Amino acid sequence: MGTAPTQCPSGITANFHAKFDNRTEFSSSSFPSTLNLAKLSIHPNSKGLVNRLGSLPDIDDLFWEKVPTPILDVVESPVHLKSLSIKELKLLADEIRSELSSTMSKTQRSFKASLAAVELTIALHYVFHAPVDKILWDAGEQTYAHKILTGRRFLMPTLRQKNGLSGYTSRAESEYDPFGAGHGCNSISAGLGMAVARDIKGKRERVVTVINNTTTMAGQVYEAMSNAGYLDSNLVVILNDSRHSLHPKIEEGPKTSINVLSSTLSRLQSSKSFRKFREAAKDVTKKIGKGMHELAAKVDEYARGMMGPPGSTLFEELGLYYIGPVDGHNIEDLICVLQEVASLDSMGPVLIHVITEENQGSEADQKRGTVELQQEGLSLNGFYAFSNGDSCKTYSDCLVAALIMEAEKDKDIVVVHAGMEMDPSLKLFQERFSDRFFDVGMAEQHAVTFSAGLSCGGLKPFCIIPSAFLQRAYDQVVHDVDRQSIPVRFVITSAGLVGSDGPLQCGAFDITFMSCLPNMIVMAASDEDELMNMVTTAAQIDDRPVCFRYPRGALVRTNYPIRDRNALEIGTGKVVVEGKDVALLGYGAMVQNCFKAQALLSKLGISVTVADARFCKPLDTKLLRQLCSNHDILITVEEGSVGGFGSHVAQFIALDGQLDGRLKWRPIVLPDNYIEHASPGEQLALAGLTGHHIAATALSLLGRTREALLLMC
């Protein structure tokens, strides 16, 4: 505190700290004190983060080839930034970028978005006073510098690991995370809610939300902006424009430029004197008359449209005061603009357009991160990399191979993809059938209804959406597809547990919310062969919607045959292994864990039947009756929430009288809680879905409790 006011290059004095001192709610006691836990800079108010993380890793294990970071070493919390000069802040940005490159490259995750946002993050924490002021982020991938500056620096190597840091902002992890980042597009809505709550309670903290190019594809962003413009509460929205575009053709076009003129205009737009002059002019035109006021508003909008880049007037139409573009790597300009905005007591909603580059940083840092990620067998966006067939292949590879085969036979087949990132394997289909592939980005609602329109037009759309993202489009699935029995083929990716992405992208609920729809056919692939068969099956269904799911990750077998497939008979499962004591009925990927349980139980002299249900709706009632009549114990296993496959089985066998006699039935589903990030194996163990858990359940039903306990030791 107590730093000298920052002098903007254009001569505008942004005396933020003096202005801040007049706000009575804030004082030095408002900021959390820090406790030096073995120099870990963990805040005592971190809501149990240290307890949740358990034993902390050895510092020597965390920093290999450590680059000296003298300034970062003294920044234990954002309050320490305020005593640094502009020159020191620039050096701090270099140190954070170097640390991110050396640390994050070992975590096998993409960190380019955070590299691009380093200066912006520093400027935000320099100007605003978190955690009293609220800083919300749309995307977790941008927040790694934010985590470093808010007491989590030495825990960054635990990112996305079991009992480690979340890959997203988390209210449970830090008081500096006022709202959890969802699948993008939620920060403005949540921030506006906080701003309105602040106004009603008579408080004066600032609320800042950071969005990016990807999240601007989602309609909720514009709904929130429109409401913010109507309510006129003080809210700062920062568009972190990393120059990404959904379509390569657009990227080849002209980009928003940053030069001396645009920088000066941005500082002018944000200045208090300019804003006061503008508001005074509005008041004068209102007194003259409504017609003059409307004319002046149009002239003002036109003039500001001439000053800003193409599209800037869109935000003005929504009611946000546009400032920009601002160079996102010029700390001095960022601080100047943010201080001016923060100093205004009645500014209403403001959008600051910040231009950043994801390739910002030294070439050595970028090369090191790229090489280390590739050595770990992952591509830069977190998906499995593969080449020449000699490394790990995924279910998505199988899907694309099957789609290409079907598309070659049927020119009506098209693919619609929605979600944050496109799996690299889908690019093969895109390259092969460029006019039959549509990537709509984070616009899942549009993707579903767009697919319905394609179907009504005589095409055969495969709508590919990750399970967690399909939740956002459920209303469209119900009314625009299922209620009208429109044959849209939903390909539900990342179904079930997703390892390091934790509960945010976990596909736990799709079996439940899709199987309750009256007209929907619901399938799940147990392996790559079944997945390819389901593609063929879906392509031939033309009278109602169908969906099938598959998990994230590697295949059961890497050498899958690429050949024409036969369509499955609707509503039929299959017995894979014959036994007589216990029946294990698996759904989807859990059939593989049923095989593991069968192997364990066979060593104990127990004869086990393993069946692949294939369909949740319609159920194979003939297979169910056969399993119930031939076995005393039936266990259903699925990687989904309660209310899914097991519930449909229970409904049928109860009404069919199968539970009236000797049959013992147990469902194994995901527990009724969110499973935090960990490795896939650790998550399965936490969920009780491993082969050992399934075998132990069977042993317990057989009365062999001691053996069940020993199996779990």
Side-chain angles (χ1 to χ4, degrees):
M1 310 292 271
T3 57
T6 300
Q7 186 72 25
C8 296
S10 60
I12 304 169
T13 301
N15 195 346
F16 173 72
H17 297 296
K19 183 74 178 178
F20 194 87
D21 290 340
N22 294 329
R23 293 160 67 184
T24 57
E25 288 93 330
F26 301 99
S27 65
S28 59
S29 61
S30 300
F31 300 101
S33 59
T34 58
L35 178 64
N36 192 329
L37 298 174
K39 298 183 179 180
L40 287 176
S41 309
I42 301 298
H43 292 270
N45 298 327
S46 294
K47 301 183 181 180
L49 173 61
V50 175
N51 292 333
R52 182 168 64 83
L53 292 174
S55 59
L56 296 168
D58 190 288
I59 297 302
D60 293 332
D61 295 334
L62 298 186
F63 288 96
W64 44 88
E65 305 175 10
K66 188 173 187 315
V67 178
T69 53
I71 299 177
L72 182 58
D73 291 344
V74 300
V75 178
E76 296 186 347
S77 72
V79 71
H80 297 136
L81 294 176
K82 303 181 188 301
S83 62
L84 300 179
S85 66
I86 294 295
K87 182 179 179 180
E88 289 170 326
L89 291 175
K90 292 178 181 178
L91 293 174
L92 175 63
D94 293 336
E95 292 181 10
I96 292 176
R97 191 168 277 113
S98 177
E99 178 134 329
L100 279 173
S101 297
S102 63
T103 304
M104 294 305 301
S105 60
K106 297 292 184 181
T107 67
Q108 306 175 6
R109 304 300 303 187
S110 174
F111 54 94
K112 277 190 173 183
S114 284
L115 289 178
V118 168
E119 287 85 0
L120 174 60
T121 304
I122 292 173
L124 284 171
H125 282 295
Y126 180 88
V127 172
F128 296 98
H129 289 62
V132 180
D133 288 337
K134 312 302 180 188
I135 302 175
L136 290 75
W137 303 79
D138 251 3
E141 290 77 10
Q142 298 183 90
T143 64
Y144 299 157
H146 164 76
K147 288 176 181 283
I148 286 176
L149 291 174
T150 53
R152 290 167 276 184
R153 174 191 177 189
F154 290 96
L155 296 173
M156 289 303 290
T158 71
L159 192 77
R160 299 174 181 263
Q161 297 177 16
K162 183 181 180 181
N163 295 328
L165 291 179
S166 170
Y168 310 90
T169 54
S170 169
R171 285 164 50 88
E173 185 176 285
S174 173
E175 60 189 339
Y176 290 96
D177 296 350
F179 201 80
H183 296 127
C185 81
N186 67 352
S187 67
I188 301 180
S189 298
L192 180 60
M194 293 179 186
V196 171
R198 169 203 63 201
D199 297 342
I200 292 175
K201 288 181 173 291
K203 297 182 179 180
R204 299 183 64 187
E205 70 265 22
R206 300 296 182 184
V207 180
V208 183
T209 72
V210 184
I211 63 176
N212 63 13
N213 305 73
T214 305
T215 57
T216 56
M217 295 300 300
Q220 184 182 350
V221 167
Y222 302 100
E223 294 172 5
M225 286 185 184
S226 179
N227 194 218
Y230 174 77
L231 294 175
D232 203 35
S233 290
N234 286 1
L235 175 70
V236 179
V237 178
I238 296 177
L239 171 57
N240 178 18
D241 184 355
S242 59
R243 302 176 183 259
H244 264 317
S245 174
L246 190 62
H247 303 288
K249 291 181 181 178
I250 298 178
E251 289 181 339
E252 294 168 3
K255 296 178 180 178
T256 303
S257 61
I258 298 292
N259 51 38
V260 175
L261 177 60
S262 62
S263 178
T264 302
L265 289 174
S266 296
R267 293 193 296 268
L268 175 63
Q269 288 171 315
S270 64
S271 68
K272 187 188 304 182
S273 56
F274 181 82
R275 290 295 301 274
K276 285 185 175 180
F277 173 78
R278 188 169 181 258
E279 294 303 317
K282 285 183 179 180
D283 290 339
V284 171
T285 57
K286 283 181 180 178
K287 292 177 182 178
I288 294 175
K290 180 180 179 182
M292 180 60 71
H293 174 66
E294 291 178 350
L295 175 62
K298 289 294 183 183
V299 172
D300 176 68
E301 178 184 317
Y302 176 77
R304 286 171 48 69
M306 294 289 289
M307 293 167 60
S312 59
T313 54
L314 167 64
F315 304 112
E316 294 276 340
E317 289 283 357
L318 291 171
L320 280 74
Y321 181 82
Y322 176 89
I323 298 173
V326 182
D327 186 349
H329 302 297
N330 187 321
I331 289 183
E332 192 169 2
D333 279 2
L334 285 169
I335 289 176
C336 176
V337 170
L338 290 174
Q339 284 181 334
E340 288 291 349
V341 170
S343 68
L344 297 169
D345 289 327
S346 58
M347 61 182 179
V350 172
L351 184 135
I352 304 174
H353 185 185
V354 176
I355 303 294
T356 60
E357 292 282 357
E358 286 197 347
N359 293 325
Q360 189 75 9
S362 70
E363 292 184 8
D365 287 341
Q366 293 177 39
K367 185 176 180 181
R368 172 174 53 187
T370 301
V371 170
E372 288 174 338
L373 279 171
Q374 291 174 344
Q375 288 175 344
E376 295 292 341
L378 287 123
S379 61
L380 292 182
N381 61 3
F383 291 108
Y384 286 97
F386 58 95
S387 62
N388 301 323
D390 57 358
S391 57
C392 201
K393 290 196 173 184
T394 69
Y395 277 94
S396 291
D397 301 335
C398 264
L399 171 73
V400 172
L403 284 173
I404 289 175
M405 283 193 298
E406 294 299 325
E408 286 175 341
K409 295 184 295 184
D410 189 343
K411 59 181 175 53
D412 289 335
I413 288 179
V414 295
V415 169
V416 179
H417 174 267
M420 291 187 69
E421 292 178 315
M422 185 171 71
D423 193 297
S425 59
L426 282 172
K427 293 180 180 178
L428 297 175
F429 188 97
Q430 184 181 32
E431 293 169 0
R432 191 76 168 271
F433 307 101
S434 58
D435 59 337
R436 293 156 65 182
F437 182 87
F438 307 92
D439 181 21
V440 302
M442 288 185 62
E444 296 85 2
Q445 293 173 314
H446 164 67
V448 171
T449 307
F450 175 57
S451 297
L454 290 171
S455 181
C456 291
L459 298 178
K460 297 180 178 180
F462 280 79
C463 185
I464 304 174
I465 305 181
S467 174
F469 289 83
L470 185 58
Q471 296 163 183
R472 296 151 57 111
Y474 191 58
D475 182 68
Q476 284 70 30
V477 173
V478 174
H479 292 290
D480 296 342
V481 177
D482 191 76
R483 187 174 60 82
Q484 303 180 69
S485 292
I486 295 176
V488 172
R489 299 143 190 89
F490 292 101
V491 182
I492 304 174
T493 69
S494 296
L497 301 171
V498 290
S500 60
D501 279 325
L504 188 65
Q505 295 191 27
C506 176
F509 309 114
D510 60 271
I511 305 173
T512 299
F513 66 68
M514 295 299 275
S515 64
C516 68
L517 299 177
N519 296 318
M520 187 72 66
I521 296 174
V522 184
M523 303 182 287
S526 59
D527 58 27
E528 56 271 24
D529 287 320
E530 290 297 325
L531 174 60
M532 298 182 80
N533 290 336
M534 288 177 183
V535 172
T536 300
T537 304
Q540 295 184 15
I541 296 173
D542 60 3
D543 61 342
R544 48 186 162 167
V546 58
C547 69
F548 56 93
R549 69 179 339 228
Y550 66 86
R552 179 186 294 186
L555 301 174
V556 178
R557 298 180 298 275
T558 56
N559 296 320
Y560 59 89
I562 305 297
R563 55 177 173 79
D564 287 340
R565 299 287 172 153
N566 296 320
L568 302 174
E569 182 181 348
I570 302 300
T572 60
K574 63 178 180 179
V575 173
V576 186
V577 178
E578 289 274 9
K580 57 185 176 63
D581 297 325
V582 176
L584 302 179
L585 179 58
Y587 184 67
M590 285 299 100
V591 172
Q592 304 304 320
N593 284 8
C594 289
F595 289 145
K596 295 176 183 178
Q598 183 263 340
L600 291 169
L601 292 170
S602 65
K603 294 178 181 178
L604 300 175
I606 301 171
S607 179
V608 178
T609 293
V610 177
D612 180 356
R614 286 178 173 161
F615 291 84
C616 175
K617 187 174 185 179
L619 285 171
D620 187 342
T621 56
K622 181 179 178 181
L623 174 63
L624 279 172
R625 289 192 177 107
Q626 174 187 333
L627 295 176
C628 291
S629 62
N630 294 341
H631 304 81
D632 292 336
I633 294 173
L634 172 64
I635 299 174
T636 56
V637 189
E638 64 188 296
E639 196 175 356
S641 66
V642 64
F645 173 69
S647 296
H648 282 264
V649 171
Q651 174 82 358
F652 170 74
I653 62 177
L655 294 177
D656 200 49
Q658 299 294 336
L659 295 177
D660 298 344
R662 57 183 173 78
L663 180 69
K664 297 179 181 179
W665 167 74
R666 294 292 185 273
I668 299 180
V669 300
L670 287 175
D672 191 23
N673 60 269
Y674 295 102
I675 298 177
E676 295 299 327
H677 50 275
S679 71
E682 290 168 335
Q683 283 194 323
L684 284 172
L686 289 170
L689 286 173
T690 66
H692 282 71
H693 285 91
I694 299 169
T697 300
L699 288 170
S700 297
L701 290 172
L702 290 167
R704 299 165 67 167
T705 307
R706 184 173 180 276
E707 290 172 288
L709 293 173
L710 289 173
L711 195 62
M712 296 307 300
C713 291

